Amino acid sequence: MVIQKEKKSCGQVVEEWKEFVWNPRTHQFMGRTGTSWAFILLFYLVFYGFLTAMFTLTMWVMLQTVSDHTPKYQDRLATPGLMIRPKTENLDVIVNVSDTESWDQHVQKLNKFLEPYNDSIQAQKNDVCRPGRYYEQPDNGVLNYPKRACQFNRTQLGDCSGIGDPTHYGYSTGQPCVFIKMNRVINFYAGANQSMNVTCVGKRDEDAENLGSFVMFPANGNIDLMYFPYYGKKFHVNYTQPLVAVKFLNVTPNVEVNVECRINAANIATDDERDKFAGRVAFKLRINKT
Amino acid sequence: MAQKTPEIYSVELSGTEDVGKTDTGDGKEKYRGLKDKRLELKKNHQKEELKKEVDLEDHKLSIKELERKYGTNIVTGLSSTQAAELLARNGPNALTPPKETPEIVKFLKQMVGGFSILLWIGAILCWIAYGIQYFNDKSSSLDSVYLGCVLALVVILTGIFAYYQEAKSTNIMASFSKMIPQQALVIRDSEKKTIPADIRLLSTQGCKVDNSSLTGESEPQSRSCEFTHDNPLETKNIGFYSTTCLEGTATGMVINTGDRTIIGQIASLASGVGHEKTPIAIEIEHFVHIVAGVAVSIGILFFIIAVSMKYYVLDSIIFLIGIIVANVPEGLLATVTVTLSLTAKRMAKKNCLVKNLEAVETLGSTSIICSDKTGTLTQNRMTVAHLWFDNQIFVADTSEDHSNQVFDQSSGTWASLSKIITLCNRAEFRPGQESVPIMKKVVVGDASETALLKFSEVILGDVMEIRKRNRKVAEIPFNSTNKFQLSIHETDDPSDKRFLMVMKGAPERVLEKCSTIMVNGQEQPLDDSTAEAFHTAYMELGGLGERVLGFCHLYLPADKFPETYSFDVDTVNFPTSNLCFVGLLSMIDPPRSTVPDAVTKCRSAGIKVIMVTGDHPITAKAIAKSVGIISANSETVEDIAKRLNIPVEQVSKRDAKAAVVTGMELKDMSPEQLDELLTDYSEIVFARTSPQQKLIIVEGCQRQDAVVAVTGDGVNDSPALKKADIGIAMGIAGSDAAKNAADMVLLDDNFASIVTGVEEGRLIFDNLKKTIAYTLTKNIAELCPFLIYIIAGLPLPIGTITILFIDLGTDIIPSIALAYEKAESDIMNRKPRHKKKDRLVNAPLAIYSYLHIGLMQALGAFVVYFTVYAQEGFRPSALINLRVEWEKDSVNDLEDSYGQEWTQYQRKYLEWTGYTAFFVGIMIQQIADLIIRKTRRNSIFQQGLFRNKVIWVGIASQIIIALILSYGLGSVSALNFTMLRPQYWFVAVPHAILIWVYDEVRKLFIRLYPGSWWDKNMYY
């Protein structure tokens, strides 16, 4: 015969809990006496203190292996990615021409983004460099920093510079400018000493049709070698990233157009299966007109 | 019962043959079937009813009353129509097979048991999360669907594995139904036949039955028509279903069939006994509760934290899944199963066949063994134990092979005695066994004659040859009236033409017929002093529980009995008095030689050994004394009374350590009295017990919170075997019913094998502790990343899939390897664990694993993680609160600490590298964890770093699996592994060493200050 398990009544359970929390006979609080609790707390204080110290020490040792100026490894960044401005949540530039609010946020972002490119600031901080060749500033044994950066003037962006532009980078007229930038990678000699440029196409045939014509600034979407190599945030304090502006002139309205821009450079592969942004950028463009 | 119409029907099981056919050809025996429904019990009272003594009264009735009761005629039997009607009403003569749990239910139980339910919840949450994602954004990634599938797959695979393991080891009770179909009803040519139903015997002729499977008595019981005992099991006029008839013939009337037979009742008793959870199952359940409790409470806590930190509910759900997966040791239950089956295999090699895997550990926690006597403690064969001749008692070798007979064989008396033993014996070896050792040869004959035959064969050589030389001319076989056996032989001395008459039988009867006694080969008149000496010896041997036989002979004078004399055993034309008494010989079913040592070992292991037998108290006590169940210096109340010559009532119970309790006494005891008995006496023998009483004894022991092991071989033992925490059946002598009810089968029927089993069971408990401690540790290292991720917003340090690769990949073989660890100290010298106090997973184990080693591991793994990120460009400070930007698909220019910009995929790859790094960090520290878990108290150097080679196989497997995952499958993006730079494999090594050193310090303090605060809090 199965022995019936003694079922505890609710009251007993409460009673047991009470006794567990405070046992007046043994002066135990939660199963331990005061001294025992003191011991335990002291122990964990010391033990965790020691562990924290140990962790801090190892982290400190580890950080000693890392240079302040250049990362130890850059294997993940062999191919720089491309990105667009204005930066939007899903990489889509949607412009309702009649609805100012729809593009005003883009304009605000672009204004802010392009502010460092103002000619005055550039002239004040950066050098005028010789185009067509890398602007190398080797350390030659002694640390040589801050390193100088080359000027990229806002005016180089032509119609897309937004200077004195009543159309707000073309957003108010349905001819928006989208800026393409290439990700910064330290000590990367983009283009391998040959000139390079950005080209944009519609992704599929119908996209190409709907895309219509566009102009690029600087001309042909060129990116000059003088902006390379990049020496890192700490060395290259005033580094100004080169940009390519694309002004879409007659996009078919009310249609979503998939645009893909890629860089044509000798040492940048743009066909990575997994990384859809390696040397290229795809975005959606939609101009809504009523 | 009065309203039922008893009818006779054919006993043929199929029920298709008519009455005439049961009059089988040789006409030796006829059965007439009768049906009795008296024992039909009301279902709801069935169990209580069954626990009462076997209830049968038919043996008390006269034949006439029986006829009236069953409305039949013992000559003509039932008509075939009546028989058919009865068959239809009462069903065939077969036992109802016990209800089986459907396989699908068992399978589903595995699917939702343990941690499975948590993982199912995880999987379903995954799919719900995907559903919501998909609803919001049709292009959302399928990651959570995959994860859900992986989780479901893990549950299903581990479920199938557990189901397979269980299915392999369960077939309980199956053969009760197998033993039923018995068509042969007739005894022919003295071959053994099984009695097909319970029968009341009407006429018998020298019928002997073997009831050992029912009552445990090893001797054949004679059957007659007289009612001899109130207890149906003892009375001589009942033959029981499934017992075998060894010799003679009998005719009887069937009084019970199928489930209503005594065996049927026992069978249903056995299947009615609830099988309680094994101790290890309780422990594992307890452990699952702890872990699941931790998992669910941390999960919900952080779900709430996440929601209140303004995370999306969807994200919070995904965190919840991660926390559950990190907390649940997915591989552990499978590991435990494997560990148990490894031990089971090891035990099988040592002749303990484990049927129910969990029973492996049960034996280790056993605190009381209720052992059957016959066959388990004893050899289950009568053996000559003592001889008395020349006024002296000689001890014969009763060991299994009889090889060492040292008593004095030079006396002339021995020569005469040996001749009587050899000649006055009808037993013979079956032909064709020349190569078989004597003790193993099959003999035709009853147990005592077999014992004598083997005894003489061992000492004298070819008995058959001696018998041939001393041709038998006449013989009176043994019968219960004259209680002796007599034969007359020619002598093998060609010059001696006298006949030799030899006789053996009940000593007092034999002595009556003697006028002289042989001493030192010389005949002397039998005077009072020699008769006194005879009686003393007889009482002494009888007091040892041995069966005593007397031997005498007489050379018939050649003048009166010439060679041509024709002896007639019916008229007895020869003298049967004034013989010459030669000696006594006593036999016993001797204890196995290994048993005393095994009992001693049980004692030192804190296990109480109780003998429970159906045999007589005197025999039981004698065997108990000889094997040490009653130790040499302890006395029973009766012993003390006898020694002090005072009445039993006056003896203080405190003085007695041992007790011999009979079934009759037990019957009158209340449960409280039984409890008292079990606690007061350390050495207890129960004799003359019935199956129901065995059950009561086992329950009594279990009331003391003891884990009870029961050994047994007979059908009568099966309810107790089933009720016991662990039932141990005998493999050779055991009945199928016993084997089926048992959890473990001793292949060599040797009690000593139990001790091996206990040792293995204790070891596995210790080692399971180590395995669990090992497995639990890394849960914290897997959990912390999620917590940090939620609170500090770091990129996720380790993925859910990666966690599964640790739990089900690298950690599996090492945790099994711990099962091969040797014991740290002499585990057979400590008390059995208390099943309610010594838990498998106790607070110190959980705290030490989670909050000490686990936390150190987490820190170590974080160092590896931070190293990878820092060296790739993201310093630790940059990682804080980076989570949102990091995980956004549209952000493809995320800036690192050096101003470089990262695309989403570049980050993702770095994240996977981080997973791999964290994984490797845990793996490296798990190696240290594995090594420290080898011992709980001793230093690793005391235990020996290289003694357990399997540990090193485990470590190698860990490293190899990690290498394969990183370098071999690093390109399979679904697995989230990347090729890790070689140096990162060593980053966690300092932490691993720290773990080792810390644990050595812990163990050192435990050894230095036993019983101290440190010991109490740090020893698990």
Side-chain angles (χ1 to χ4, degrees):
Chain A
M1 185 89 358
V2 181
I3 305 161
Q4 284 293 313
K5 270 198 181 154
E6 303 140 45
K7 287 263 184 236
K8 287 177 197 157
S9 73
C10 202
Q12 270 176 310
V13 173
V14 172
E15 212 40 54
E16 273 175 21
W17 267 99
K18 264 191 195 161
E19 192 163 293
F20 174 70
V21 173
W22 173 248
N23 187 336
R25 277 178 296 111
T26 52
H27 291 274
Q28 281 178 332
F29 171 68
M30 309 277 273
R32 286 181 185 278
T33 58
T35 356
S36 183
W37 273 113
F39 263 127
I40 276 286
L41 290 178
L42 183 70
F43 170 80
Y44 279 102
L45 203 68
V46 172
F47 179 56
Y48 285 165
F50 168 73
L51 283 190
T52 317
M54 177 78 192
F55 179 70
T56 319
L57 179 76
T58 38
M59 286 294 280
W60 180 81
V61 169
M62 182 272 287
L63 287 175
Q64 298 313 300
T65 68
V66 176
S67 132
D68 274 353
H69 315 292
T70 47
K72 190 157 181 154
Y73 302 111
Q74 290 180 284
D75 52 308
R76 287 298 100 211
L77 298 175
T79 314
L82 254 52
M83 195 47 184
I84 57 160
R85 288 289 182 275
K87 195 173 180 178
T88 60
E89 201 55 46
N90 293 312
L91 291 175
D92 45 2
V93 180
I94 299 166
V95 182
N96 292 328
V97 176
S98 53
D99 177 12
T100 320
E101 288 219 349
S102 76
W103 45 261
D104 189 51
Q105 44 161 338
H106 297 324
V107 174
Q108 297 302 323
K109 276 185 197 160
L110 287 176
N111 284 340
K112 200 165 173 242
F113 172 68
L114 290 174
E115 209 179 283
Y117 290 87
N118 285 342
D119 293 15
S120 55
I121 297 176
Q122 288 296 318
Q124 184 192 333
K125 287 184 174 166
N126 291 344
D127 296 350
V128 180
C129 312
R130 222 178 86 196
R133 51 172 286 191
Y134 293 119
Y135 186 46
E136 284 179 293
Q137 304 165 72
D139 287 338
N140 292 334
V142 236
L143 274 186
N144 155 26
Y145 80 100
K147 297 192 193 291
R148 306 292 300 167
C150 296
Q151 286 184 5
F152 188 97
N153 288 321
R154 196 166 170 174
T155 43
Q156 285 174 260
L157 296 171
D159 288 355
C160 286
S161 67
I163 302 167
D165 182 1
T167 64
H168 301 285
Y169 308 101
Y171 282 78
S172 64
T173 56
Q175 294 176 319
C177 286
V178 175
F179 298 83
I180 315 285
K181 71 191 238 320
M182 189 162 72
N183 282 352
R184 294 188 293 264
V185 175
I186 291 173
N187 288 330
F188 180 66
Y189 288 78
N193 231 346
Q194 293 159 39
S195 68
M196 55 189 158
N197 71 328
V198 173
T199 53
C200 293
V201 286
K203 215 169 187 176
R204 286 179 293 264
D205 289 346
E206 64 265 30
D207 291 326
E209 275 172 37
N210 293 333
L211 188 60
S213 58
F214 54 85
V215 284
M216 294 183 119
F217 309 96
N220 295 327
N222 272 336
I223 295 181
D224 201 280
L225 295 183
M226 67 182 175
Y227 301 106
F228 301 95
Y230 174 55
Y231 284 111
K233 196 155 81 171
K234 200 142 192 178
F235 278 177
H236 229 153
V237 183
N238 293 317
Y239 180 74
T240 310
Q241 214 168 353
L243 299 174
V244 170
V246 189
K247 191 174 177 70
F248 298 96
L249 297 173
N250 52 350
V251 180
T252 311
N254 306 325
V255 178
E256 198 174 81
V257 186
N258 291 300
V259 189
E260 193 177 71
C261 299
R262 56 179 72 220
I263 182 133
N264 303 302
N267 59 353
I268 301 175
T270 59
D271 53 356
D272 192 315
E273 280 291 314
R274 290 186 185 143
D275 190 351
K276 301 292 182 205
F277 291 85
R280 61 202 147 144
V281 58
F283 59 95
K284 288 176 189 137
L285 192 62
R286 187 184 175 104
I287 314 291
N288 290 330
K289 279 183 182 164
T290 43
Chain B
M1 62 193 86
Q3 73 275 16
K4 289 167 195 155
T5 338
E7 288 164 288
I8 292 183
Y9 78 105
S10 157
V11 85
E12 278 290 335
L13 291 166
S14 59
T16 53
E17 297 191 37
D18 64 28
V19 177
K21 279 196 178 167
T22 55
D23 287 347
T24 36
D26 56 4
K28 272 191 179 169
E29 187 169 9
K30 298 172 191 172
Y31 283 107
R32 285 291 184 270
L34 266 185
K35 198 74 183 182
D36 174 31
K37 297 195 285 181
R38 229 169 24 77
L39 286 167
E40 263 185 20
L41 301 164
K42 283 180 189 152
K43 275 283 169 207
N44 46 348
H45 291 130
Q46 193 170 15
K47 271 181 142 182
E48 275 311 310
E49 291 279 333
L50 285 170
K51 270 183 83 179
K52 289 180 188 163
E53 277 301 299
V54 173
D55 184 19
L56 192 70
E57 278 163 13
D58 290 342
H59 57 292
K60 297 176 187 166
L61 306 175
S62 72
I63 291 167
K64 284 284 160 226
E65 283 171 318
L66 271 175
E67 275 191 329
R68 234 188 348 269
K69 186 175 167 193
Y70 294 109
T72 183
N73 182 300
I74 60 163
V75 183
T76 59
L78 275 174
S79 74
S80 49
T81 42
Q82 282 175 313
E85 203 176 299
L86 257 173
L87 178 67
R89 190 181 307 157
N90 294 328
N93 180 21
L95 298 190
T96 324
K99 270 188 194 135
E100 295 246 347
T101 327
E103 293 297 305
I104 185 76
V105 173
K106 283 190 205 163
F107 184 69
L108 288 178
K109 262 190 187 164
Q110 296 291 355
M111 287 291 162
V112 295
F115 297 120
S116 304
I117 198 81
L118 274 182
L119 293 179
W120 278 122
I121 292 171
I124 289 164
L125 285 179
C126 278
W127 292 323
I128 291 175
Y130 176 75
I132 298 170
Q133 271 176 348
Y134 184 78
F135 190 73
N136 291 337
D137 176 10
K138 299 272 190 287
S139 63
S140 57
S141 84
L142 286 165
D143 282 359
S144 28
V145 177
Y146 293 147
L147 182 58
C149 291
V150 168
L151 289 181
L153 197 71
V154 166
V155 179
I156 292 170
L157 287 182
T158 49
I160 289 174
F161 180 77
Y163 171 75
Y164 168 73
Q165 286 285 354
E166 197 191 274
K168 240 175 40 176
S169 54
T170 41
N171 56 343
I172 297 207
M173 295 297 291
S175 89
F176 255 128
S177 44
K178 270 188 243 149
M179 59 185 260
I180 305 317
Q182 303 285 354
Q183 298 281 342
L185 313 176
V186 187
I187 291 148
R188 295 184 192 90
D189 310 328
S190 78
E191 275 174 38
K192 290 178 189 175
K193 289 294 172 194
T194 306
I195 298 173
D198 284 1
I199 53 169
R200 162 70 202 266
L201 302 177
L202 302 173
S203 65
T204 57
Q205 237 188 324
C207 179
K208 279 192 174 180
V209 292
D210 177 7
N211 272 357
S212 62
S213 73
L214 193 59
T215 61
E217 286 160 309
S218 45
E219 296 162 34
Q221 311 285 307
S222 63
R223 294 283 101 161
S224 64
C225 311
E226 302 101 52
F227 156 61
T228 55
H229 205 284
D230 274 344
N231 186 340
L233 287 172
E234 304 241 343
T235 189
K236 289 198 165 171
N237 57 356
I238 301 273
F240 295 105
Y241 175 37
S242 92
T243 60
T244 51
C245 184
L246 297 173
E247 58 183 86
T249 59
T251 309
M253 193 160 112
V254 174
I255 49 175
N256 282 317
T257 57
D259 285 343
R260 283 166 296 275
T261 58
I262 302 291
I263 284 278
Q265 289 179 59
I266 292 173
S268 57
L269 189 58
S271 60
V273 168
H275 208 77
E276 280 173 46
K277 277 192 180 134
T278 58
I280 194 72
I282 293 169
E283 289 307 315
I284 286 172
E285 195 170 83
H286 175 240
F287 152 74
V288 168
H289 284 164
I290 290 178
V291 172
V294 170
V296 169
S297 42
I298 294 183
I300 289 175
L301 180 71
F302 275 82
F303 182 78
I304 293 167
I305 290 177
V307 171
S308 54
M309 281 176 76
K310 306 239 159 53
Y311 279 98
Y312 294 118
V313 175
L314 193 71
D315 287 342
S316 308
I317 289 176
I318 292 179
F319 302 157
L320 182 63
I321 297 163
I323 288 170
I324 290 176
V325 172
N327 251 311
V328 172
E330 288 85 6
L332 188 59
L333 294 186
T335 312
V336 169
T337 316
V338 172
T339 307
L340 289 175
S341 52
L342 281 174
T343 309
K345 266 189 196 161
R346 207 149 56 197
M347 284 164 86
K349 267 189 206 153
K350 294 174 182 171
N351 291 320
C352 293
L353 190 71
V354 181
K355 284 173 53 195
N356 173 8
L357 274 190
E358 288 165 352
V360 167
E361 191 279 327
T362 314
L363 202 52
S365 40
T366 297
S367 50
I368 297 181
I369 299 177
C370 291
S371 178
D372 188 31
K373 178 182 76 74
T374 313
T376 317
L377 299 173
T378 67
Q379 301 170 16
N380 197 16
R381 60 162 171 248
M382 288 310 263
T383 306
V384 175
H386 291 98
L387 304 97
W388 180 80
F389 57 87
D390 294 348
N391 274 328
Q392 241 184 306
I393 289 180
F394 297 94
V395 182
D397 180 21
T398 54
S399 68
E400 276 79 350
D401 57 2
H402 280 219
S403 56
N404 195 20
Q405 301 291 4
V406 290
F407 64 91
D408 179 22
Q409 296 171 9
S410 59
S411 161
T413 319
W414 165 246
S416 304
L417 183 58
S418 62
K419 195 158 245 175
I420 308 170
I421 295 168
T422 321
L423 298 178
C424 190
N425 193 332
R426 298 175 70 196
E428 287 175 17
F429 289 114
R430 278 246 173 98
Q433 300 188 81
E434 284 71 24
S435 55
V436 184
I438 296 168
M439 295 319 292
K440 294 207 172 119
K441 283 184 184 170
V442 180
V443 177
V444 183
D446 76 12
S448 332
E449 296 223 303
T450 305
L452 293 172
L453 174 66
K454 287 186 174 173
F455 179 68
S456 44
E457 179 92 5
V458 166
I459 298 174
L460 305 169
D462 194 341
V463 170
M464 294 318 208
E465 184 55 37
I466 299 173
R467 287 197 197 159
K468 238 182 245 168
R469 278 189 270 128
N470 299 270
R471 199 174 59 84
K472 194 192 299 182
V473 291
E475 179 179 49
I476 302 174
F478 184 87
N479 71 51
S480 47
T481 349
N482 41 22
K483 294 204 165 144
F484 66 79
Q485 178 183 352
L486 178 154
S487 58
I488 301 169
H489 300 261
E490 294 168 354
T491 61
D492 51 0
D493 183 357
S495 58
D496 189 350
K497 294 298 177 201
R498 290 178 301 173
F499 285 104
L500 173 63
M501 182 167 82
V502 289
M503 181 196 273
K504 75 161 190 251
E508 64 278 8
R509 284 297 186 84
V510 171
L511 193 72
E512 278 169 20
K513 299 188 185 298
C514 296
S515 57
T516 57
I517 183 164
M518 186 178 277
V519 178
N520 296 328
Q522 304 300 316
E523 252 178 75
Q524 293 177 3
L526 186 67
D527 51 24
D528 283 352
S529 68
T530 35
E532 181 65 33
F534 159 85
H535 277 292
T536 317
Y538 182 24
M539 291 316 288
E540 191 177 338
L541 295 177
L544 293 172
E546 297 177 3
R547 185 197 290 173
V548 190
L549 287 177
F551 294 84
C552 62
H553 72 186
L554 183 68
Y555 282 98
L556 299 174
D559 48 344
K560 280 188 189 166
F561 302 95
E563 251 181 291
T564 52
Y565 190 83
S566 152
F567 293 93
D568 183 348
V569 292
D570 292 328
T571 56
V572 193
N573 56 353
F574 47 87
T576 56
S577 59
N578 292 326
L579 282 73
C580 171
F581 192 85
V582 181
L584 291 172
L585 209 144
S586 68
M587 285 167 293
I588 198 165
D589 179 10
R592 291 163 175 277
S593 48
T594 47
V595 170
D597 188 39
V599 171
T600 317
K601 276 188 184 158
C602 286
R603 278 269 159 73
S604 62
I607 302 168
K608 194 165 164 179
V609 184
I610 295 178
M611 182 194 278
V612 183
T613 175
D615 217 333
H616 290 279
I618 297 173
T619 320
K621 190 177 165 192
I623 294 292
K625 281 213 154 180
S626 65
V627 298
I629 287 179
I630 296 180
S631 43
N633 53 2
S634 53
E635 295 174 306
T636 63
V637 176
E638 291 77 14
D639 289 336
I640 296 172
K642 204 171 151 195
R643 177 165 54 85
L644 302 175
N645 222 348
I646 50 170
V648 173
E649 294 76 35
Q650 287 179 13
V651 179
S652 159
K653 282 187 178 169
R654 291 265 173 81
D655 297 340
K657 265 173 73 191
V660 178
V661 184
T662 63
M664 287 314 221
E665 290 164 352
L666 191 60
K667 214 173 183 176
D668 300 330
M669 276 187 191
S670 65
E672 291 73 30
Q673 282 173 311
L674 178 62
D675 289 354
E676 210 174 291
L677 174 84
L678 289 168
T679 41
D680 284 357
Y681 297 98
S682 57
E683 301 168 346
I684 308 173
V685 171
F686 290 99
R688 275 281 169 236
T689 49
S690 67
Q692 284 77 3
Q693 286 175 329
K694 282 196 180 183
L695 207 54
I696 289 166
I697 294 166
V698 173
E699 277 173 17
C701 295
Q702 283 171 338
R703 275 200 298 276
Q704 325 285 315
D705 269 347
V707 175
V708 186
V710 170
T711 72
D713 50 4
V715 176
N716 58 332
D717 298 323
S718 53
L721 286 175
K722 217 158 173 223
K723 176 67 205 171
D725 295 289
I726 175 166
I728 305 167
M730 298 300 127
I732 304 167
S735 62
D736 283 355
K739 283 185 204 168
N740 278 309
D743 305 295
M744 184 179 274
V745 178
L746 290 186
L747 294 177
D748 57 354
D749 284 17
N750 193 345
F751 186 81
S753 306
I754 297 176
V755 178
T756 326
V758 170
E759 198 168 352
E760 291 289 349
R762 289 185 175 190
L763 183 58
I764 201 65
F765 185 81
D766 283 5
N767 286 348
L768 275 180
K769 250 187 176 183
K770 296 173 183 174
T771 302
I772 288 175
Y774 168 78
T775 315
L776 284 189
T777 304
K778 56 141 196 308
N779 278 2
I780 284 297
E782 292 167 354
L783 178 66
C784 285
F786 278 93
L787 308 188
I788 302 288
Y789 167 75
I790 294 170
I791 292 174
L794 303 181
L796 187 61
I798 189 165
T800 319
I801 305 263
T802 323
I803 289 175
L804 291 177
F805 271 105
I806 299 177
D807 289 0
L808 298 170
T810 54
D811 259 12
I812 291 288
I813 299 174
S815 48
I816 293 171
L818 281 170
Y820 290 92
E821 202 52 50
K822 297 273 180 303
E824 278 176 71
S825 55
D826 191 354
I827 41 179
M828 291 307 277
N829 271 335
R830 64 179 194 216
K831 292 234 159 303
R833 75 179 179 96
H834 190 284
K835 77 175 171 187
K836 291 193 177 146
K837 286 183 194 144
D838 305 326
R839 308 307 306 250
L840 181 65
V841 176
N842 49 22
L845 185 146
I847 290 173
Y848 186 69
S849 299
Y850 278 149
L851 297 183
H852 295 212
I853 304 297
L855 213 64
M856 287 162 103
Q857 244 184 32
L859 290 179
F862 265 111
V863 170
V864 193
Y865 160 85
F866 281 125
T867 307
V868 166
Y869 275 78
Q871 298 201 336
E872 287 280 354
F874 289 91
R875 292 165 156 269
S877 52
L879 292 174
I880 311 280
N881 279 328
L882 191 62
R883 193 191 77 88
V884 178
E885 285 289 295
W886 181 275
E887 288 180 351
K888 256 189 207 158
D889 285 349
S890 61
V891 176
N892 280 291
D893 53 351
L894 187 77
E895 196 177 311
D896 67 12
S897 311
Y898 296 93
Q900 304 185 99
E901 291 168 314
W902 294 67
T903 66
Q904 189 267 339
Y905 179 77
Q906 286 164 346
R907 293 197 306 271
K908 197 81 211 167
Y909 194 90
L910 180 57
E911 190 177 316
W912 293 339
T913 312
Y915 293 176
T916 315
F918 210 94
F919 164 83
V920 167
I922 292 179
M923 188 276 290
I924 293 291
Q925 293 176 93
Q926 275 295 77
I927 294 176
D929 191 24
L930 182 64
I931 290 170
I932 65 166
R933 299 302 183 182
K934 279 164 70 76
T935 59
R936 293 186 292 149
R937 180 183 292 274
N938 289 349
S939 163
I940 293 301
F941 301 105
Q942 284 171 303
Q943 181 79 352
L945 200 47
F946 299 98
R947 244 173 73 196
N948 181 355
K949 303 275 187 303
V950 191
I951 289 279
W952 292 96
V953 173
I955 292 174
S957 80
Q958 254 176 323
I959 296 171
I960 290 168
I961 291 174
L963 285 173
I964 290 174
L965 285 174
S966 174
Y967 295 115
L969 302 172
S971 49
V972 184
S973 67
L975 298 180
N976 301 352
F977 280 98
T978 64
M979 293 194 195
L980 204 62
R981 281 172 212 288
Q983 67 265 36
Y984 293 147
W985 293 73
F986 301 96
V987 175
V989 168
H991 273 89
I993 293 170
L994 180 71
I995 287 175
W996 187 351
V997 171
Y998 176 67
D999 194 62
E1000 279 295 318
V1001 171
R1002 176 189 74 96
K1003 289 168 186 163
L1004 179 69
F1005 282 131
I1006 287 173
R1007 291 195 304 274
L1008 285 181
Y1009 307 107
S1012 65
W1013 177 89
W1014 184 272
D1015 188 15
K1016 276 183 206 141
N1017 285 284
M1018 303 293 263
Y1019 180 68
Y1020 55 87

